[in-house]
Amino acid sequence: MGQTLTGLLTSVRAIAGRPGTPAQGRPGGGPDQALLAALRLCGDHLSALAAAGPLTDARRTRLIASIGALTTACSTPGTDAFDALLRTGQQALDSGGEAEARLALALADEATALRARSKGAWRLRGNALDALGRGEEAITAYERHLALQQNNAASRDVERRIATLRAAGDRIDEALTLFRAGADTEASGADAEVSGAAARLSRHLPAAEARTAFTDLVRLRTAEHGAGDPAVRRLATLYAEHRRLSDRDPVADPLLGGAEPIGVPGLRRLVAGRTVCLVADTPRTAEQEQRPGSPLAALIEGYDLVVRCDEARHTAPAARTDLHACTLRGDTPWKGPRWDRRAGARLVFGDPLPHWRLALRSRLVPGAQDRVGDATLRRPLHDPALLGEEAGAGPASTAYTVLRLLDFLGTPARVDLIGFEGPAALSPREREWVGTRTANTDDTAVRITLR
């Protein structure tokens, strides 16, 4: 990676120049100056990465690849590099570090300079400011994004984030109002140290600084008046609410439209005595399933429970789904698309527990499911209370996890796999397990019946 990184840095410098030096133009006209500035920023970041030693972080490796794509776009005549610029900014943000968040903000600034009416650029700027804890500035950028966004459904996440940031700031404002009211009624005035903590607290501070100042105010006020004082109790409540809002967005509907949590006993009852099929999400299967009167559509419709896995890329939105299962993957699984396809029950597999909880809070849609798997079903392969396998076997597909779970429960009358061939085929280890339990395979090789 060191040589690749050095070569990319050389390419970036050749196109954009070094900081403080004019970029050399290319025949036929060069990139816009904002793009050249963005490339120079990427070059600075690459230099810092090269100086830090060997790369072992996969997220930063992906960022380097994204910078490479941006460099190629800027060096190719006639190519619009704007989308590559936004992708590089988003990849920097996804990398998770403070330096990467600053790079994302700088790239977003160049993107808004290039296209002031780009909703994607303003969304990136808001996200970068948000990641840096600059909530009030993030609200301004988010509002610019909303003003340009025509799709109301696509803007709901931004609207919720604006509401969260404002609510966190409102808790600070109320805490300061509470302090000033108390200070006005005290004969000798507030203690100088407490007054200093209050003076440092503001909703316009970066999140980390605001949290420190808020913590100091609560600590000093509690020491001054005691935890039983009504004003101190209210101040502590505001502090706790501010911390919760800083950590995560509130759930619009905590009850998820009345969805019922389901654990191992409930799932066992749900599948008991019923015929179950797992349907692969492939173009061939989806096309045949949607064809009126097709044998495959009739076959699937004949099962008591139809199970589908992960995000549907080919299956029709209205396709019957009695049980949807998905596996959380990546470093930030709570940022994936929301699970808005209708399903009777939804199982989410994932670890660690905080990531699993945050993903459910962020991605479940109220009313899109009647039942939601609880924490007892989040890691069936490795949970000692269920299958208890060692984690060293490598990641398992969602379909395999569902199969193993149904096999463990032992209550379905029959479990069939439909369409799991070609691109949807299971891994060799998973196929071996299925093979030891195969009762028969039909002539079209689309159905495997487990004993």
Side-chain angles (χ1 to χ4, degrees), residues 13-206:
R13 295 301 192 208
I15 299 170
R18 295 183 178 276
T21 64
Q24 297 181 3
R26 292 186 288 106
D32 188 284
Q33 288 301 311
L35 282 174
L36 294 176
L39 271 183
R40 282 192 287 272
L41 291 166
C42 291
D44 295 342
H45 192 75
L46 291 174
S47 296
L49 290 179
L55 286 175
T56 57
D57 190 332
R59 293 174 297 180
R60 288 180 175 173
T61 301
R62 290 193 290 270
L63 172 58
I64 292 171
S66 186
I67 293 174
L70 174 61
T71 305
T72 300
C74 287
S75 62
T76 304
T79 300
D80 186 354
F82 187 77
D83 287 343
L85 174 61
L86 292 186
R87 286 193 295 270
T88 302
Q90 187 58 52
Q91 190 60 64
L93 202 57
D94 292 343
S95 296
E98 183 177 349
E100 285 74 18
R102 290 197 298 269
L103 174 62
L105 177 58
L107 296 181
D109 288 341
E110 300 302 336
T112 55
L114 275 170
R115 297 183 187 177
R117 294 188 57 79
S118 167
K119 58 181 180 290
W122 285 107
R123 174 77 178 264
L124 176 63
R125 190 172 198 277
N127 288 342
L129 288 165
D130 203 349
L132 291 167
R134 294 159 60 177
E136 294 299 310
E137 295 174 83
I139 289 174
T140 301
Y142 284 146
E143 287 177 333
R144 290 291 299 273
H145 165 80
L146 290 179
L148 297 166
Q149 177 62 267
Q150 303 298 317
N151 185 348
N152 292 333
S155 64
R156 286 172 189 154
D157 289 344
V158 176
E159 292 171 346
R160 280 194 296 270
R161 188 58 188 158
I162 290 175
T164 298
L165 292 171
R166 282 184 173 148
D170 291 345
R171 301 310 188 271
I172 290 177
D173 288 347
E174 185 178 343
L176 291 173
T177 300
L178 188 66
F179 166 76
R180 296 185 187 108
D184 290 341
T185 61
E186 294 170 11
S188 59
D191 180 86
E193 189 176 8
V194 182
S195 297
R200 293 194 303 274
L201 181 60
S202 168
R203 69 185 298 155
H204 298 285
L205 284 174

Side-chain angles (χ1 to χ4, degrees), residues 1 75 139 171 216 252 287 322 334 368 381 389 404 422 428:
M1 175 58 72
S75 62
I139 289 174
R171 301 310 188 271
D216 290 343
E287 188 274 330
D322 301 303
W334 54 88
L381 291 181
E389 287 188 350
R404 293 297 306 275

Side-chain angles (χ1 to χ4, degrees), residues 208-230:
E209 296 178 29
R211 177 177 294 188
T212 299
F214 209 158
T215 301
D216 290 343
L217 179 61
V218 173
R219 175 177 57 81
L220 293 169
R221 207 63 171 161
T222 302
E224 187 177 27
H225 293 282
D229 182 80

